[in-house]
Amino acid sequence: MTNLCPFEEAVTAAARSGDWDPELAAHRDGCLSCAELTLVVAALASDAEILAADPRPLPDPGLIWIRASLAARERDLGRATRAITWVQRAAIAAAAAVGLAFAPGLWDHVRRSLAGLSFGDPLAVLPRAAGSPLLVLAASMTILGALALYELTTVREG
């Protein structure tokens, strides 16, 4: 790499130490490359002073690598499960729409089925009540919808 200005090294040393020769300061004020170099060196020196004054030790590089790996894995998991989450949401919406479409007729059927139940001997009545396809459909949709909602609320997106 070639230097753009022959005074770069002298300007860098002067910017680090703060000891400016009048001739070098005049050159810095007239040379765009050296003026920018002075700003960069001053900013880096300021940052170095702030870091040197910080009493906290630097974290272990292995720990930083592990955290970065875990964050990347979590991001990839979120990206991979995003489509599954949207399909689950669509299934819940479809189940709710089907449930609402059948709700008026289903409610009358459920009420008639429950009115015919005799709780004296539940085992004798259960097969007849459980054999109703609409009642099984309604119970299945309710249970599966609740499970899907539970799973959606526990999955974190990335």
Side-chain angles (χ1 to χ4, degrees):
M1 183 165 121
T2 61
N3 291 340
L4 297 176
C5 178
F7 294 103
E8 271 190 14
E9 290 181 24
V11 169
T12 302
R16 283 186 186 151
S17 67
D19 184 27
W20 286 96
D21 177 273
E23 185 178 310
L24 191 58
H27 169 75
R28 174 203 62 207
D29 293 341
C31 177
L32 180 62
S33 176
C34 289
E36 288 178 354
L37 178 63
T38 302
L39 290 174
V40 170
V41 169
L44 291 176
S46 171
D47 289 347
E49 288 174 10
I50 292 170
L51 288 174
D54 191 1
R56 295 176 296 176
L58 293 175
D60 179 34
L63 182 62
I64 293 172
W65 183 82
I66 289 172
R67 286 182 181 172
S69 297
L70 289 175
R73 183 179 294 170
E74 187 174 331
R75 185 187 67 240
D76 292 344
L77 177 68
R79 190 180 308 137
T81 59
R82 190 174 298 135
I84 295 169
T85 303
W86 280 106
V87 168
Q88 285 178 335
R89 289 177 182 166
I92 290 171
V98 168
L100 289 175
F102 287 114
L106 185 64
W107 178 247
D108 291 335
H109 184 71
V110 168
R111 192 172 50 205
R112 278 183 277 141
S113 296
L114 290 177
L117 288 178
S118 169
F119 293 108
D121 187 12
L123 294 178
V125 178
L126 185 61
R128 184 175 53 92
S132 169
L134 288 177
L135 188 59
V136 171
L137 179 66
S140 299
M141 284 181 14
T142 303
I143 291 170
L144 291 176
L147 288 174
L149 282 175
Y150 172 75
E151 186 164 333
L152 278 178
T153 58
T154 58
V155 173
R156 290 180 16 175
E157 289 187 29

